[in-house]
C-alpha cells in the first residue's frame, strides 16, 4: 500500500512521533505553557484561480490540492501558513515531465511566455527553497517524480545513474538489489530526492564515512533554458573549473538537474551506533576532534550539548532500559547537568565494526567519557527519519520549533555555538517570550564541524505573529552566523531565507559570478527566482 | 647555497639524471638511432625589444634573460624552442609583486592599457599554460615568487594559509617546523607553487592518501581586474555553488590566486613504498581495483604497463640489487614479457605502515603477484622528483620525449589505455618515424583511475619539424582521449594545448559558462588569453 504524503505537514499521512510527557514538561519549564494551539491539518487557502499556462505535450495538473501541496516547503513558517490557510500564493499548475526532453520543452515554453518555474523534488526545503510567492507572472511547478529510477549501473566502476526525482528509499532499494548502497541518509531521506540533494549540497547523517553528496556526484545533466549541460562521470579531472560544483548548490536557479551519476559502494553487512556520555561540552569536542583527526573510520559522530542531551533522553530514551542507566549515571555524578551525549557509529563487516567501535571507545574513555552501549544508538537509528514528525505534534499543542545549521573551522566551533545559541535564546526578549535552544555538533571534518541548532518557542495568536517570532529568531541567528565567518548553511542551502546574507558569505563579486551564470543559463529569469540571489528579506512571506 | 633555475630546461643548473645505457639501447631498438642532437642549453632568441609597459609602483624587470626565462613552460615544444632560439615571443617585462594589493594595482594598470598578463608560479606547465605567443598587445608576466611563505597557521583546525608563490620545498619546510605536512607531492614539487597547484587542479603522487589539491583547499583569495574574491576557509558549506571549484582549474584566466588556506595534517613518522610484479596488466588492474575499493589505506599506488616496466628497470633499477632480482625473476618465469611493476606505499607510524603494507601484500598475492620488497620503492622515492631531468639528457642525444595523462572510470581504463597508446604509437607512421609509448595507471579512485603516458620519438633536423612531430602525436592522443569520453587531463590542466578540445569535454554551454565568468572578472580579456578557452590549435607555436 502506497503511503500518501501529508499536505501541510511532514511526511506521510497516519505517521506521527508524539512528544513525550517529559519533553512537554521540559518545554513548559523553558518557554512557558502553550497558549495557542494550531489546526492539525492543512486549512484550505482562499481560492486562487489558476492563471493560464503555456500548452505542453504532457498533462499539467490544476487540481487545487495538488497546487496547495506544491506551494511551500517544510520550514516552520510553511507549516504555520499551510495549517492556517494563510498561503500567499499557489502555483498555477503542476507539471510532471517524464524525460529530460519534456523538461526542455517545458522550459522553452515557459521562457517564451515569461512563466516562472519551480523545480520540485521532495518538497522538503527548510530554507524557502521551493516557496511560491506572489508575482504578476504565472508559475509552474515541475515535479520530477516521474523522472525517477536507476537508469544505468556500472558495477565495476561503482557508478549508478539515477533520475533526479528518485527518492531515498527507492534509490536504496534499487542499489540493495545489486548489493550496493549510496550511503546518503539525510534526515529527509524518506522524502527527498537525488536532484534535491544535488542542488542543495545535501549531507547525510553518515557523511563522515560516505561523504557529502558533492563527494558522490561523478557526473550529472542539467537542463536549462539556454541548453543542456552534460558532465560525464569522471573520477577526477584537471580540465578547467569543475562545473559540477556550480550546479551543486544552484537550487534550481541555473536549470533543472535531470539525472546524476553517483559513486556507490558495496552494501555493508552491518551498521552499529553506540552512545557515551562525556562530562562537558569541551571534553566532548576534544574527543570528537581526536576521533576525526586521528582517522578512526567512523561513519557517524554526533555530540549533543547539555540541553539537547536532556531533551534527547526525554524524547528518545524515555522508554528504553538505557534511559534508566543514563538517569542513574546522572544521579551518580554530580556534574550530570553539564553532561553531553555522544553518538558514534560505523558500518562494515561485523568484525570491522567491532574493531572500529573499540578504537572509538578507547579515545572516548581517554576523554573520561562513560560508554552507554548500543541501546541509545539503536533508538536513534530506529527513529532518525521520524524525528521531523515531532514538530507536527508540538505545533498541535502550541509549541513552534525549527532548526538551522552552520559549519566552521574547529577553532571557532565552541565560540560560534555559544554566540548563535545566545542570539536565538534572547531573540524574543523584546516581546517577553522565551526561546529554548538545543545544539549538536555533527558532520565533523578534519578541519571543522557543523553546528545544528533546534529552537522552540510558543506560537502566537495568529499565523503572521507566529511567523514573525520565527523570523526574529532566524534573523538573529543568521546575523550572528555571518558575523562569525561561519557558513550560512552546512546542508540546508541558501533558499530564500538566507539569500539576503548570501553576499556576506561569498562577497559581492562571488554573488555576481553566480548571478552572471544565471543570466546566461536562464536569460528570462524564470527559474526559482526568489532563491539564492534574491536580496530581499522574505522570511515573513 | 641557492640553486639557480636553468633557463631552457627542467629544474636547477648542475642537476641531471643521465639516461642509462640500457635505456638508450631500448630506445634505439624502439624508435631507431638518433639522427639530430639538440644544443644542451638555451640559445639566445632573436632580440625582441621590450614594448612599453604601464608604470607600476614596484620594479618591472626587462632583463633579456629574465624575459626569456618567463617565455615558456616545460612541455617538449617549449624545451625545443628554447634550446634552438626559436621562441616566437617574449614577455615585455617581468613584475614581482609582493602583496595582493600590488597584484591589484598591476591588474588595474594593465587593464587600463590593454596589456596582457600571465600569472607565473613555478613555470612548470606542460600544457602551454604560461606561454608567450605573438600579439599586438604587450605582455607582462606576474611572477609571484615574492608572494610566498606561511601567512597563518590554525593548528587546532589543521589549516595553513600560504602565499600563492610558495614552492613545494618551502611549504613543506614551514610545515615540518610545526610537525605538519600538506602531503602534496607532484613530480614538479621542487619547482611548482601553491598558486599553480590550485589553478591547474594539481594532484600529487600520494593523492590516494592525501587527496588532490582540490581536497586540500579550504579557502582562497583571487584578485581579478573586476575585484577580489575572498572565500573564507570552511570545512564544508551548502551556501550555493562552491566558487572555490571555479577558481580551481581557472589557469590564470579568471584572476590571480594570491593565497590559499590549505588543510594540513600531522607529519607521518615514516613513509614506505614497496614493489611487486604481476603477471600481466589485467591482473595488475584487478589488484589495484581491489586495493582501492577494498579500502586498504595506501597513499601511493602505481601500476606500470609491460613497456614501462621494462624501462623502469632499465632506468631506475640498473644499479640496484633489486634489478638483479627482477631480471632473475623475469628469466625464471616465461611470461616475463607481459609482467607489470606495481608500486604501493603508505605513510604513518612504523607499525601502521607495516600493517597496511601487509594488507596490500596479501591482496597482491591473491592476484598472483610477486613481492619484490622495498628496494625498487626506495629508488622511486629517491628519484621521483629527478625523473624530469632525464628528458634533458635524451634531448641532448636526439631523443624527444613528453608525457600526457587522462582519467576515466574503471570500466574504461584498460580500453582507453590501449586506444590512446595505439594512437600515439602510430601517429608518425606517415613520415616513417616510430613512437615508443609507456603507460602507468596511478592516482586510483573508487570509481576510476588516471592513465599517464610517456612517449618517445627522434628529433628532426630543425625545431619546427620536431615540434610538428610532437604536435602530431599530441593531436592523435587528445582526439582519442576525447572520443573515449575520458578527461583531457587528470592533473596537467587544459593550458593552450588542450584548449581546442575543451568544448568536447564540457560541451558548448559548459565552455560558455566559464567564458562568461572570464568576461565578468576580466572585462578587458587581459589574463592569460590563450589558455582554457582559446579555440585555436596552437600546438606548433
Amino acid at each position: 500500500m502506497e503511503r500518501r504524503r501529508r499536505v501541510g505537514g511532514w511526511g506521510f499521512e497516519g505517521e506521527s512521533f508524539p512528544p513525550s510527557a517529559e519533553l512537554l514538561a521540559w518545554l513548559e519549564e523553558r518557554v512557558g505553557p502553550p497558549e495557542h494551539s494550531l489546526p492539525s491539518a492543512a486549512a484550505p487557502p482562499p481560492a486562487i484561480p489558476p492563471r493560464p499556462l503555456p500548452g505542453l505535450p504532457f498533462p499539467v495538473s490544476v487540481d487545487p490540492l495538488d497546487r496547495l501541496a506544491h506551494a511551500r516547503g517544510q520550514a516552520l513558517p510553511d507549516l504555520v501558513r499551510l495549517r492556517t490557510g494563510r498561503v500567499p500564493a499557489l502555483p498555477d499548475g503542476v507539471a510532471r515531465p517524464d524525460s529530460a526532453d519534456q523538461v526542455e520543452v517545458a522550459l522553452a515554453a515557459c521562457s517564451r511566455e515569461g512563466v516562472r518555474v519551480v523545480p520540485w523534488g521532495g518538497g522538503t526545503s527548510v530554507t524557502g527553497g521551493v516557496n511560491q510567492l506572489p508575482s504578476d507572472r504565472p508559475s509552474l511547478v515541475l515535479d520530477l517524480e516521474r523522472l525517477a529510477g536507476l537508469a544505468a549501473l556500472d558495477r565495476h566502476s561503482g557508478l549508478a545513474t539515477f533520475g533526479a526525482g528518485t527518492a531515498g528509499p527507492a534509490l536504496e532499494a534499487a542499489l540493495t538489489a545489486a548489493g550496493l548502497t549510496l550511503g546518503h541518509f539525510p534526515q529527509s531521506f524518506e522524502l527527498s530526492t537525488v536532484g534535491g540533494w544535488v542542488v542543495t549540497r545535501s549531507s547525510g547523517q553518515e557523511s563522515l564515512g560516505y561523504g557529502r553528496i558533492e563527494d558522490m556526484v561523478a557526473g550529472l545533466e542539467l537542463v536549462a533554458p539556454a541548453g543542456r549541460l552534460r558532465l560525464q562521470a569522471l573520477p577526477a579531472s584537471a580540465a578547467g573549473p569543475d562545473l559540477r560544483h556550480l550546479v551543486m548548490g544552484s537550487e534550481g536557479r541555473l536549470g533543472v538537474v535531470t539525472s546524476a551519476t553517483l559513486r556507490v559502494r558495496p552494501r555493508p553487512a552491518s551498521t552499529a551506533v553506540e552512545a557515551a556520555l562525556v562530562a562537558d561540552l569541551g571534553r566532548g569536542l576534544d574527543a570528537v576532534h581526536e576521533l576525526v583527526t586521528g582517522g578512526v573510520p567512523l561513519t557517524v559522530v554526533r555530540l549533543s550539548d547539555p540541553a539537547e542531551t536532556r531533551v534527547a533522553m526525554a524524547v528518545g530514551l524515555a522508554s528504553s532500559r538505557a534511559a534508566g542507566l543514563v538517569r542513574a549515571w546522572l544521579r551518580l555524578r554530580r556534574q550530570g547537568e553539564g553532561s553531553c551525549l555522544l553518538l558514534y557509529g560505523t558500518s562494515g563487516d561485523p568484525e570491522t565494526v567491532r574493531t572500529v567501535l573499540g578504537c572509538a571507545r578507547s579515545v572516548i574513555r581517554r576523554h573520561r567519557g562513560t560508554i552507554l552501549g548500543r541501546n541509545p544508538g539503536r533508538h536513534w537509528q530506529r527513529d532518525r527519519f521520524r524525528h521531523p514528525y515531532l514538530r507536527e505534534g508540538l505545533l498541535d499543542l502550541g509549541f513552534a520549533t525549527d532548526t538551522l545549521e552552520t559549519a566552521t573551522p574547529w577553532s571557532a566551533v565552541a565560540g560560534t555555538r555559544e554566540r548563535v545559541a545566545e542570539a536565538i535564546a534572547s531573540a524574543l526578549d523584546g516581546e517577553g517570550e522565551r526561546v529554548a535552544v538545543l545544539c549538536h555538533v555533527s558532520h565533523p571534518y578534519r578541519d571543522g564541524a557543523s553546528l545544528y541548532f533546534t529552537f522552540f518557542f510558543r506560537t502566537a495568536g495568529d499565523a503572521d505573529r507566529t511567523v514573525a517570532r520565527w523570523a526574529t529568531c532566524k534573523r538573529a541567528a543568521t546575523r550572528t552566523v555571518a558575523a562569525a565567518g561561519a557558513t550560512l548553511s552546512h546542508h540546508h542551502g541558501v533558499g530564500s531565507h538566507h539569500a539576503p546574507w548570501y553576499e556576506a558569505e561569498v562577497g559581492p563579486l562571488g554573488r555576481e559570478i553566480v548571478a552572471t551564470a544565471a543570466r546566461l543559463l536562464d536569460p528570462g529569469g524564470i527559474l526559482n527566482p526568489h532563491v539564492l540571489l534574491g536580496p530581499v528579506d522574505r522570511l515573513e512571506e
Side-chain angles (χ1 to χ4, degrees), chain A residues 331-360:
Chain A
R331 273 195 302 271
L332 202 67
R333 309 270 289 239
R334 288 293 165 83
Q335 75 271 46
E337 279 302 305
S339 299
C340 294
L341 182 67
L342 175 59
L343 293 175
Y344 54 99
T346 195
S347 295
D349 63 84
E351 196 190 313
T352 304
V353 168
R354 263 195 304 275
T355 309
V356 171
L357 292 181
C359 287

Coordinates of all heavy atoms in Angstrom, one line a residue, chain A residues 331-360:
Chain A
R331 N 22.4 10.8 38.2 CA 22.3 11.0 39.7 C 23.6 10.7 40.4 O 24.0 11.4 41.3 CB 21.3 10.0 40.2 CG 19.8 10.6 40.2 CD 18.9 9.8 41.0 NE 18.9 8.4 40.7 CZ 18.0 7.9 39.7 NH1 17.2 8.6 39.1 NH2 18.1 6.6 39.4
L332 N 24.3 9.7 39.8 CA 25.6 9.3 40.5 C 26.6 10.4 40.4 O 27.3 10.7 41.4 CB 26.1 8.1 39.7 CG 27.1 7.1 40.4 CD1 26.3 6.4 41.6 CD2 27.6 6.1 39.5
R333 N 26.7 11.0 39.3 CA 27.8 12.0 39.1 C 27.1 13.4 39.3 O 26.2 13.7 38.6 CB 28.3 11.9 37.7 CG 28.8 10.5 37.2 CD 30.2 10.3 37.6 NE 31.1 11.1 36.7 CZ 32.0 10.6 35.9 NH1 32.2 9.3 35.8 NH2 32.8 11.4 35.2
R334 N 27.7 14.2 40.1 CA 27.1 15.5 40.4 C 27.2 16.4 39.2 O 26.4 17.3 39.1 CB 27.9 16.1 41.6 CG 27.6 15.4 42.9 CD 26.1 15.6 43.3 NE 25.8 14.7 44.4 CZ 26.0 14.9 45.7 NH1 26.6 16.0 46.1 NH2 25.6 14.1 46.6
Q335 N 28.2 16.2 38.4 CA 28.3 17.1 37.2 C 27.4 16.8 36.1 O 27.5 17.2 35.0 CB 29.8 17.2 36.7 CG 30.2 16.0 35.9 CD 30.8 14.9 36.8 OE1 30.2 14.5 37.9 NE2 31.9 14.3 36.4
G336 N 26.4 16.0 36.4 CA 25.4 15.5 35.4 C 24.8 16.6 34.5 O 24.5 16.4 33.4
E337 N 24.6 17.7 35.1 CA 23.9 18.8 34.4 C 24.6 19.3 33.2 O 24.0 19.7 32.2 CB 23.8 20.1 35.3 CG 22.6 20.0 36.3 CD 21.2 19.8 35.6 OE1 20.9 20.6 34.7 OE2 20.5 18.8 35.8
G338 N 25.9 19.1 33.2 CA 26.7 19.6 32.0 C 27.0 18.4 31.0 O 27.7 18.7 30.0
S339 N 26.5 17.2 31.3 CA 26.9 16.1 30.5 C 26.4 16.2 29.1 O 25.3 16.7 28.9 CB 26.3 14.8 31.2 OG 26.8 14.6 32.4
C340 N 27.2 15.6 28.2 CA 26.8 15.6 26.8 C 26.8 14.2 26.2 O 27.7 13.4 26.5 CB 27.9 16.4 26.0 SG 27.8 18.2 26.5
L341 N 25.7 14.0 25.5 CA 25.6 12.7 24.8 C 26.4 12.6 23.5 O 26.3 13.6 22.7 CB 24.1 12.5 24.5 CG 23.7 11.2 23.8 CD1 23.9 10.0 24.8 CD2 22.2 11.2 23.4
L342 N 27.1 11.6 23.4 CA 28.0 11.4 22.2 C 27.5 10.1 21.5 O 27.6 9.1 22.0 CB 29.4 11.4 22.6 CG 30.5 11.1 21.5 CD1 30.4 12.1 20.4 CD2 31.9 11.0 22.1
L343 N 27.1 10.3 20.2 CA 26.7 9.1 19.4 C 27.9 8.9 18.4 O 28.4 9.8 17.8 CB 25.4 9.3 18.6 CG 24.1 9.4 19.4 CD1 23.0 9.7 18.5 CD2 23.9 8.1 20.2
Y344 N 28.3 7.6 18.2 CA 29.3 7.3 17.3 C 29.0 5.9 16.7 O 28.6 5.0 17.4 CB 30.7 7.4 17.9 CG 30.8 6.5 19.2 CD1 31.4 5.2 19.1 CD2 30.3 6.9 20.4 CE1 31.5 4.4 20.2 CE2 30.4 6.1 21.5 CZ 30.9 4.8 21.4 OH 31.0 4.0 22.5
G345 N 29.2 5.8 15.4 CA 28.9 4.6 14.8 C 29.7 4.3 13.5 O 30.4 5.2 13.0
T346 N 29.6 3.1 13.0 CA 30.3 2.8 11.8 C 29.6 1.6 11.1 O 28.6 1.0 11.6 CB 31.8 2.5 12.1 OG1 32.5 2.5 10.8 CG2 31.9 1.1 12.7
S347 N 30.0 1.4 9.9 CA 29.4 0.3 9.1 C 30.5 -0.6 8.5 O 31.7 -0.2 8.3 CB 28.7 0.9 7.9 OG 27.6 1.7 8.3
G348 N 30.2 -1.8 8.2 CA 31.1 -2.7 7.6 C 30.8 -4.2 8.0 O 29.7 -4.4 8.5
D349 N 31.8 -5.1 7.8 CA 31.5 -6.4 8.3 C 31.6 -6.4 9.8 O 32.2 -5.5 10.4 CB 32.5 -7.4 7.7 CG 33.9 -7.1 8.1 OD1 34.4 -7.5 9.2 OD2 34.6 -6.4 7.3
P350 N 30.9 -7.3 10.5 CA 30.8 -7.2 12.0 C 32.1 -7.1 12.7 O 32.3 -6.4 13.7 CB 30.1 -8.6 12.3 CG 29.3 -8.9 11.1 CD 30.2 -8.4 9.9
E351 N 33.2 -7.8 12.2 CA 34.5 -7.7 12.9 C 35.1 -6.3 12.8 O 35.6 -5.8 13.8 CB 35.4 -8.7 12.3 CG 36.6 -9.0 13.2 CD 37.7 -9.8 12.4 OE1 37.3 -10.8 11.8 OE2 38.9 -9.4 12.5
T352 N 35.0 -5.7 11.6 CA 35.5 -4.4 11.4 C 34.7 -3.4 12.3 O 35.3 -2.5 13.0 CB 35.3 -3.9 9.9 OG1 36.0 -4.8 9.1 CG2 35.9 -2.5 9.7
V353 N 33.4 -3.6 12.3 CA 32.6 -2.7 13.2 C 33.0 -2.8 14.6 O 33.2 -1.8 15.3 CB 31.1 -3.0 13.0 CG1 30.2 -2.4 14.1 CG2 30.6 -2.6 11.6
R354 N 33.2 -4.0 15.1 CA 33.7 -4.2 16.5 C 35.0 -3.5 16.7 O 35.2 -2.9 17.7 CB 33.8 -5.7 16.8 CG 32.6 -6.3 17.5 CD 32.9 -7.7 18.1 NE 33.5 -8.7 17.1 CZ 32.7 -9.4 16.3 NH1 31.3 -9.3 16.4 NH2 33.2 -10.2 15.4
T355 N 35.9 -3.7 15.8 CA 37.3 -3.1 16.0 C 37.2 -1.6 16.0 O 37.8 -1.0 16.9 CB 38.2 -3.6 14.8 OG1 38.1 -5.0 14.7 CG2 39.6 -3.1 15.0
V356 N 36.5 -1.1 15.0 CA 36.4 0.4 15.0 C 35.7 1.0 16.2 O 36.2 2.0 16.8 CB 35.7 0.8 13.7 CG1 35.4 2.3 13.7 CG2 36.5 0.4 12.4
L357 N 34.6 0.4 16.6 CA 34.0 0.9 17.8 C 34.9 0.8 19.0 O 34.9 1.6 19.9 CB 32.6 0.2 18.0 CG 31.5 0.5 17.0 CD1 30.2 -0.2 17.3 CD2 31.3 2.0 16.9
G358 N 35.7 -0.3 19.0 CA 36.6 -0.4 20.1 C 37.6 0.7 20.2 O 37.9 1.2 21.2
C359 N 38.1 1.1 19.0 CA 39.1 2.2 18.9 C 38.4 3.5 19.4 O 39.0 4.3 20.2 CB 39.5 2.4 17.4 SG 40.6 1.3 16.8
A360 N 37.2 3.7 18.9 CA 36.4 4.9 19.3 C 36.2 4.9 20.8 O 36.5 6.0 21.5 CB 35.1 4.9 18.6

